[in-house]
Amino acid sequence: MKYSNILLKTSKESPTDENSRNAELLIRGGFINKEMAGVYSYLPLGLKVLRKIEDIVREEMEAVGASEILMPALSAKTNWERTGRWDEVDVLFKMELSGGREIALNPTHEEVVTPLVQTFANSPKDFPKCVFQIQNKFRNEPRAKSGLLRGREFLMKDAYSFHTSQEDFEKYYDVMKQAYHKIYKRLGIGDITKFVAADGGAFSEFSHEFQTLSPIGEDELFYIKSEDRYLNREITPCVAERWNNEEEPIAEMEEVLGKGIIGVEELSKFLNIPVEKTTKTILFETEKKAVIAAAVRGNREIDTRKLRKLVGCKSLELASEETVKNVTGSPVGYAGVLHLPKEVQVFWDETCQDRVNFEMGANKENYHTININFGRDIEKPAHFYDIKVAQAGDFYPETGEQYETYKAIEVGNIFPLSHKFSKAFSFHSEGKDIIMGCYGIGISRTMGALAEIFADEKGLVWPENVAPAKVYLAPIGRDDRVFEKADALYKELQDAGIDVLYDDRRDKKTGPGTKFSDAELLGIPYRVVLSERNLEADTAEVVARKDGKTQNIPLEKLVSFFRK
C-alpha cells in the first residue's frame, strides 16, 4: 500500500463524541469513520485488520471441520414466532416490507440456520454437522457505546453444530473450546483471555465466554483460585462480608417521616444510621402474575436470575407502579416487608441476618420504619438466601475464600442450545430432537478489544498477526535517490510477501516528525527509515514499535530480517 493511493488521513485531535480509547485511536489513525452512534465505516487500514482477524478465525474453524456458508441478513417473522423470540429479543430490528409483511434484521441466525441445515441433513449418517459464517449483524442497542465494543452493526463469526447425542455434542463443544484458545493465542491475547462460566439464558443452565482482561471491560469476573475457575458476575454465588450489630441494645420501633427520601445513601445520612442497617425491598411479578418480595441489605442489588431460580418461575419482572401501589398502599420507593399481604411470598438475602434495629420502608408514602427486629416486630425467616448481585469483597460459599475480581471484555462465547431450536422446527433424527450448539466471535468487537489493549500514549501497537502491515516504510529528506531506493525497497519487500505501508509523501508539510508520529499512531510493528545518511552506509534504520528498539540493518539483509 502506498500512503498516497489509499484513503488515509490521520488526526492529532480526538473525536469529541467518543469516550473509548479504541474508537479514539482508530478514528485518529484513519482505520474507521463514525457514521452514527454504533455504526462505523472501515477504511483501508481498518479493513486490513478486520480481514486478518477474519482469516485467523476462518482457518481455525475449518480446522475443526466447520464449513463456511453465508446466510441472509433478513429473515421472516414467522421463523422468529416459531421459536417464540419475536417478542422476547429486545434488540431485534423489525421492519416491514412494502406489502406489509414483517421481517427481522438478524442479530443472530438460529432461526435461519436450523431449517437450512434440516433441508440437507435428514438421516443419521448426515451428523454431526457444523457450519459457520462471517457476516454483519444488527442489534437495536438502546445505548451504543464503547466504540467497536458495543455497536448497532458489527461483524461476527457465528457457528452452529448439530448432533444426534449429548455425548457427541459435549465432545465437539470441547473441540470448539480448544479452537477458540488457539484463535486468541494467534491474536496475541491468549495469555489474558479467560474461559469463563456464564448464564445459559433460555437454552441451558450455563454457557461459556472468552473474556479478555482489561480495566475498561464491561464484565466483572470472579476468580476462584483454589479451583482455577472464572465466573461471570451474573452467575456468581456469594456470601457478603458479615456485618453484625447484635451487641447493640434493642430500641423501640418507630416510623420516621422522610419526605421524598428514597436513595439508600441519602436515607442513611438522614436517619444517621450505617447503610448496612437499611433494607431494600423490591417487588416482582412472575409470569402467572404472582407478586414476590425480595429483601436485601441496602447497599446491595437483587440478582433476578438467582431469585427467579429460587422462586421456580419462568420469568420475573419488576412489579408495575400500579401493582406496587395496590400491594403496599404506597408509591414505589417506600416498600417494606412489614404488613405485606400474606399472599406475597418474601425472600430474604443472607445479608439481612445478624442485624438488630434495622430499617425498611413503611409501606406508606414518605415514611420509613426504623429499629425493626426479628422475633419482636417481624417473624425471623426460616431461611436466608443468596439473591444478591456479587461484588468485589464477597466470598465463595463452597470454600469461604475471597474472590479475586477482574474487569474484562467479552470477545467470544460458546452456548449449548440443547433442543430449543430443533424442537421448534421439528428437526429430529430417528425420532430424537437434534442437539445444537452455537459458537460466536465478534470480529469487529475483537478488533476494538485489541485496540484497547495494544496501545500506549503514542498510539496503537498492533500484534504482528493482525497489523495492517508489518513495515512502515518512511523515506525522509529531499534527495531523489532516497525515494528511488525506497521505491525499489518497497517492491522488493512486497515481492517477498511482506506487507508494507509505504509513506511516499513528499510535500513540504510532511517532514520526518509527521511521518514518525503517524507511524507511532498507526501501530505498525516496524518503522523502516531511509535517509541520505543511511543511503551512504547502505543501511536502513529499523525501529520496533513495541519496545522502541532501534537497529541499522544492511539493505541487502532487510528481507531476511523481516522474514525471520
Side-chain angles (χ1 to χ4, degrees):
M1 295 179 289
K2 288 188 177 182
Y3 203 117
S4 60
N5 289 346
I6 64 173
L7 202 60
L8 174 60
K9 186 172 284 189
T10 61
S11 172
K12 293 179 181 179
E13 303 299 320
S14 298
T16 56
D17 58 346
E18 291 285 0
N19 57 11
S20 63
R21 181 160 72 162
N22 74 85
E24 176 197 333
L25 291 174
L26 291 170
I27 290 171
R28 284 185 54 215
F31 289 83
I32 62 175
N33 185 68
K34 186 174 185 175
E35 303 303 329
M36 63 186 214
V39 179
Y40 298 87
S41 291
Y42 289 81
L43 303 174
L45 294 187
L47 191 59
K48 279 268 188 183
V49 175
L50 212 57
R51 293 292 180 251
K52 288 191 175 184
I53 297 171
E54 252 188 63
D55 289 344
I56 289 171
V57 171
R58 181 177 285 109
E59 286 167 14
E60 295 301 337
M61 287 298 97
E62 291 176 344
V64 295
S67 53
E68 187 170 8
I69 61 174
L70 183 62
M71 292 178 278
L74 301 175
S75 59
K77 176 184 179 180
T78 51
N79 281 17
W80 287 85
E81 288 180 321
R82 197 162 176 175
T83 61
R85 298 207 299 171
W86 180 258
D87 294 317
E88 283 184 3
V89 179
D90 55 358
V91 295
L92 186 64
F93 272 111
K94 299 174 182 178
M95 298 180 292
E96 195 174 287
L97 297 177
S98 56
R101 185 183 175 195
E102 288 184 283
I103 59 171
L105 195 52
N106 295 315
T108 183
H109 271 75
E110 286 84 357
E111 277 76 8
V112 179
V113 75
T114 308
L116 174 66
V117 172
Q118 184 180 19
T119 303
F120 297 95
N122 41 44
S123 75
K125 63 181 175 57
D126 293 327
F127 299 95
K129 278 283 185 292
C130 185
V131 296
F132 77 98
Q133 66 171 351
I134 297 174
Q135 189 204 56
N136 279 20
K137 294 283 197 289
F138 304 87
R139 287 172 63 92
N140 192 6
E141 288 283 359
R143 287 182 64 242
K145 58 179 183 176
S146 304
L148 300 187
L149 302 184
R150 185 178 289 279
R152 292 191 170 101
E153 181 178 356
F154 52 95
L155 187 65
M156 185 173 177
K157 183 281 299 180
D158 48 323
Y160 305 88
S161 67
F162 302 81
H163 310 266
T164 54
S165 73
Q166 185 64 26
E167 181 186 8
D168 186 61
F169 163 71
E170 289 175 3
K171 218 179 275 184
Y172 194 73
Y173 194 79
D174 190 62
V175 167
M176 270 292 187
K177 171 187 168 182
Q178 300 310 323
Y180 272 46
H181 283 309
K182 288 179 184 176
I183 288 168
Y184 297 121
K185 185 177 180 181
R186 290 179 66 183
L187 292 175
I189 52 175
D191 57 334
I192 57 170
T193 299
K194 307 301 179 183
F195 184 64
V196 180
D199 184 15
F203 312 123
S204 61
E205 186 175 3
F206 299 112
S207 65
H208 294 90
E209 298 168 342
F210 293 81
Q211 295 270 6
T212 302
L213 301 183
S214 167
I216 64 92
E218 289 184 335
D219 289 316
E220 189 169 8
L221 310 186
F222 288 72
Y223 179 59
I224 308 165
K225 193 171 185 178
S226 64
E227 299 179 4
D228 189 25
R229 192 158 63 99
Y230 289 85
L231 307 176
N232 191 302
R233 183 171 73 168
E234 64 191 3
I235 66 157
T236 300
C238 60
V239 174
E241 188 171 359
R242 279 279 167 262
W243 189 85
N244 188 323
N245 68 329
E246 290 181 316
E247 300 301 318
E248 187 178 309
I250 301 297
E252 195 66 32
M253 184 177 74
E254 62 175 301
E255 287 185 356
V256 177
L257 174 63
K259 195 168 184 180
I261 298 174
I262 295 176
V264 169
E265 293 293 337
E266 186 184 4
L267 182 62
S268 169
K269 288 176 184 176
F270 173 74
L271 296 175
N272 195 28
I273 60 173
V275 72
E276 288 83 0
K277 271 193 176 185
T278 64
T279 305
K280 190 178 290 178
T281 306
I282 309 291
L283 299 186
F284 297 90
E285 286 183 273
T286 70
E287 75 279 2
K288 296 179 179 178
K289 299 301 178 184
V291 178
I292 303 296
V296 68
R297 206 162 65 195
N299 58 347
R300 303 301 295 251
E301 300 296 331
I302 302 289
D303 186 318
T304 54
R305 179 187 180 276
K306 291 179 181 178
L307 183 60
R308 178 173 50 80
K309 193 174 178 182
L310 186 61
V311 173
C313 57
K314 290 182 180 178
S315 68
L316 202 61
E317 302 290 338
L318 279 174
S320 66
E321 291 184 16
E322 182 183 0
T323 298
V324 172
K325 180 79 172 175
N326 289 340
V327 171
T328 69
S330 67
V332 172
Y334 301 98
V337 176
L338 272 173
H339 312 308
L340 282 177
K342 289 182 180 178
E343 62 268 20
V344 176
Q345 195 175 4
V346 180
F347 295 88
W348 291 85
D349 185 72
E350 55 91 19
T351 53
C352 294
Q353 60 186 328
D354 302 331
R355 299 187 304 170
V356 299
N357 300 330
F358 53 89
E359 171 278 343
M360 67 174 55
N363 292 328
K364 189 166 147 184
E365 188 170 2
N366 294 322
Y367 281 86
H368 305 271
T369 307
I370 62 171
N371 300 329
I372 301 170
N373 289 277
F374 287 125
R376 185 192 71 180
D377 309 310
I378 190 169
E379 184 180 352
K380 185 170 184 178
H383 299 285
F384 289 93
Y385 303 97
D386 169 21
I387 56 170
K388 64 194 162 300
V389 174
Q391 66 183 37
D394 285 348
F395 299 86
Y396 179 41
E398 295 299 315
T399 63
E401 66 190 282
Q402 193 169 46
Y403 287 110
E404 294 178 18
T405 57
Y406 302 91
K407 291 287 188 183
I409 302 167
E410 183 187 346
V411 290
N413 56 56
I414 56 178
F415 263 90
L417 296 178
S418 189
H419 309 107
K420 177 173 173 65
F421 297 98
S422 56
K423 268 187 188 296
F425 290 96
S426 301
F427 186 12
H428 44 72
S429 176
E430 295 188 324
K432 293 182 180 178
D433 292 316
I434 295 298
I435 297 165
M436 292 174 58
C438 72
Y439 318 87
I441 291 179
I443 305 290
S444 52
R445 183 181 176 87
T446 298
M447 178 176 167
L450 294 174
E452 288 284 348
I453 292 158
F454 296 107
D456 57 22
E457 69 283 354
K458 296 175 182 177
L460 296 156
V461 190
W462 293 111
E464 282 193 33
N465 278 357
V466 299
K470 187 169 186 175
V471 172
Y472 186 101
L473 179 57
I476 58 173
R478 299 190 180 180
D479 192 323
D480 287 341
R481 292 175 306 155
V482 172
F483 282 84
E484 288 167 5
K485 188 63 183 176
D487 288 344
L489 183 57
Y490 172 64
K491 185 177 186 308
E492 186 181 357
L493 291 169
Q494 290 281 84
D495 289 346
I498 297 161
D499 283 339
V500 182
L501 174 57
Y502 176 20
D503 192 343
D504 58 340
R505 293 175 293 176
R506 296 188 69 172
D507 57 279
K508 292 179 181 179
K509 292 181 180 179
T510 311
T514 299
K515 290 190 175 185
F516 296 168
S517 62
D518 274 0
E520 288 170 336
L521 174 60
L522 297 177
I524 291 169
Y526 295 96
R527 182 179 80 211
V528 174
V529 180
L530 289 180
S531 65
E532 291 178 41
R533 187 174 61 183
N534 289 139
L535 216 55
E536 289 172 5
D538 212 25
T539 63
E541 180 186 81
V542 178
V543 182
R545 177 67 180 90
K546 186 176 180 179
D547 56 14
K549 183 180 178 182
T550 302
Q551 303 175 69
N552 285 307
I553 307 293
L555 291 174
E556 72 271 13
K557 293 184 178 179
L558 267 180
V559 169
S560 58
F561 176 83
F562 288 119
R563 271 183 169 169
K564 66 184 179 182

